[in-house]
Amino acid sequence: MTVEQSTPTEASDEAGPPTGGPALSAIAGAIPVALGLATLWYARALGFGALADPGPGLWPSIVAVLLIGAGATIAVRARAARDTEAFTRGTTAVVIGAASLAIYAYLFELIGFEIPTVLLLALWLRFLGGESWRVTAVVSVLATVAAYLLFITGLGVPLPHLIGS
């Protein structure tokens, strides 16, 4: 006669993820609404143009409206939500990833392509991905060089950059 024992991973799978409830669902809906409103505000300053002659703010505005709609739908449905997951340690990694992209975009315009790209990749690989310092350094530098060669040298994309400016 054999007795089956459950392993720790099986027991945690049965319990499922921690539930967040309606309040966290409302917060999860409010965040894209806020981002959409901010994007719409900044896109307005760029000018919408017309469908036949779009301005630089038209497509960001369209995306912002879709973001607002999706966030509003999530927020409205939050009251009935019973299967939402709670914010966990993994949520922190997502927030750090999103914030680092915003900082990357700012630094990209300020100091160019190379340094922010290496720093972003290093942050993601080492701290979010848990890679060793050696792997982080090699992949960050090689990926930045590859992107430089592809976009700036090969395709002639006019990105702000330090090397060869």
Side-chain angles (χ1 to χ4, degrees):
M1 178 168 115
T2 57
V3 177
E4 291 186 31
Q5 295 178 350
S6 65
T7 62
T9 57
E10 289 173 357
S12 64
D13 287 344
E14 289 174 9
T19 57
L24 288 179
S25 292
I27 292 170
I31 291 171
V33 168
L35 289 173
L37 289 172
T39 301
L40 197 56
W41 176 260
Y42 286 112
R44 177 190 59 83
L46 295 173
F48 302 123
L51 287 178
D53 184 25
L58 181 63
W59 288 111
S61 298
I62 291 170
V63 172
V65 168
L66 293 172
L67 196 57
I68 292 166
T73 302
I74 292 169
V76 167
R77 292 183 177 180
R79 188 175 275 184
R82 300 285 179 252
D83 61 346
T84 59
E85 290 188 32
F87 293 131
T88 62
R89 187 173 180 175
T91 308
T92 306
V94 172
V95 171
I96 291 170
S100 66
L101 278 177
I103 294 168
Y104 173 77
Y106 174 74
L107 291 175
F108 186 92
E109 289 292 324
L110 187 67
I111 60 175
F113 165 77
E114 299 89 338
I115 295 171
T117 303
V118 169
L119 292 175
L120 179 73
L121 291 172
L123 171 76
W124 285 8
L125 289 167
R126 177 67 183 149
F127 298 107
L128 299 180
E131 295 294 338
S132 69
W133 280 112
R134 179 178 292 156
V135 169
T136 297
V138 170
V139 170
S140 297
V141 170
L142 289 179
T144 301
V145 168
Y148 184 94
L149 292 173
L150 174 65
F151 291 109
I152 295 173
T153 304
L155 298 173
V157 177
L159 298 174
H161 58 281
L162 297 172
I163 300 172
S165 294

